[in-house]
Amino acid sequence: MSTPFGLREVREAYRRAGRWLHRTPVLTSRCLDQLAGRQLFFKAENLQKTGSFKARGACNAVFIEKEINPASPGVVTHSTGNHGQAVAYAAKCAGLPCSVVVPRDTPKVKCSAIEEYGAELVFCEPSPRSRKETCAEIASKTGRTIIHPYDDYRVMTGQGTIALELLEEVPDLDAILVPISGGGMTSGIAITARGMQPACRVFPVEPAGKFLEKSLRSQERLWPNPPQFLDTIADAIRTQQMVVEAASGAAVYAALHQLEQVTPPPQKVGVILCGGNVDLDHLPWVNQMGLK
Ligand SMILES: Cc1ncc(COP(=O)(O)O)c(C=O)c1O
């Protein structure tokens, strides 16, 4: 099946959005290499603008919107926070108005960041359905364009620029570990890796309790309909001198403990540290230890 975007579009996204983004560093650690028994290359998207890789897809999508419609009434999205911050940032860079729908229980640090970028916050119930409906309502009332967090080729293409930079720096990677939720980042990275280094395998990493791997293998949708959120501290993927959020930790865990199961075992592995936005007031061990 042909895909609606490829390496060419990812390169275009990089030209379009690159000046609003950081080229994030690729970090290595001899100590972690020893623990893992292979070479690990950490792509530090926690140091990206807005604190997560999401700025890439959002900037690509918002600047495409501006190219297509210079008089655009703006953009609207729904997000637990990282994509919301990213779209708010991108809209500010592009000079477009922006509304962000967030569930009532979104960490405060993420809400404040969205508002600081000048976007309007709209609260909804903490369910995927409520988010979608509220977002659609705003779009139909205001004419703003919806920038979906992952089901949007402009967003996926922007996320592909992570792999573009990573494979430019380490061209002979034989695997990349990508924390997955909706799959926008994984899609962008997989398409880019196939174009640049076809031998490189891309492994999505999901928190325990999700059914993605089982569903793909059985070719059946095994999760509840409508979808429910998983109870996990990796809140960004429930659908530290270096501060990384729990979603990034999922890829680090997989790099250290799970690659033995893979044949042939990869030797040079990219690990996407996808974000660093941590709400310090809501770390589970802070509550457990009575530190609050
Ligand atoms: C920090 C972080 N990592 C990973 C993901 C998963 O990305 P995707 O939904 O594109 O699979 C998200 C999504 O919100 C995120 O915020």
Side-chain angles (χ1 to χ4, degrees), residues 52-54 82 149-150 179-186 236-237 245 247 274-275:
S52 86
F53 73 95
K54 291 275 182 179
N82 279 338
Y150 45 86
I180 190 168
S181 179
M185 173 163 53
T186 307
I237 59 169
E245 60 187 281
C274 44

Side-chain angles (χ1 to χ4, degrees), residues 65-66 68-74 96:
E65 165 68 13
K66 197 169 177 184
I68 293 172
N69 182 6
S72 167
L96 292 180

Side-chain angles (χ1 to χ4, degrees), residues 29-40 256:
S29 154
R30 261 186 291 175
C31 174
L32 289 175
D33 284 358
Q34 255 175 13
L35 280 175
R38 63 199 91 237
Q39 278 182 283
L40 303 179
L256 294 178

Side-chain angles (χ1 to χ4, degrees), residues 1-19:
M1 197 172 78
S2 74
T3 43
F5 70 97
L7 185 53
R8 194 168 65 104
E9 286 72 22
V10 175
R11 291 196 195 283
E12 267 169 31
Y14 200 62
R15 278 192 290 274
R16 177 180 298 114
R19 63 175 281 225

Side-chain angles (χ1 to χ4, degrees), residues 44-102:
E45 287 298 297
N46 54 324
L47 303 180
Q48 184 51 268
K49 291 277 183 193
T50 75
S52 86
F53 73 95
K54 291 275 182 179
R56 294 174 182 268
C59 281
N60 190 43
V62 170
F63 278 93
I64 288 178
E65 165 68 13
K66 197 169 177 184
E67 273 167 33
I68 293 172
N69 182 6
S72 167
V75 291
V76 53
T77 192
H78 60 85
S79 162
T80 50
N82 279 338
H83 176 71
Q85 280 182 54
V87 173
Y89 165 75
K92 187 178 175 151
C93 297
L96 292 180
C98 174
S99 310
V100 181
V101 177
V102 292

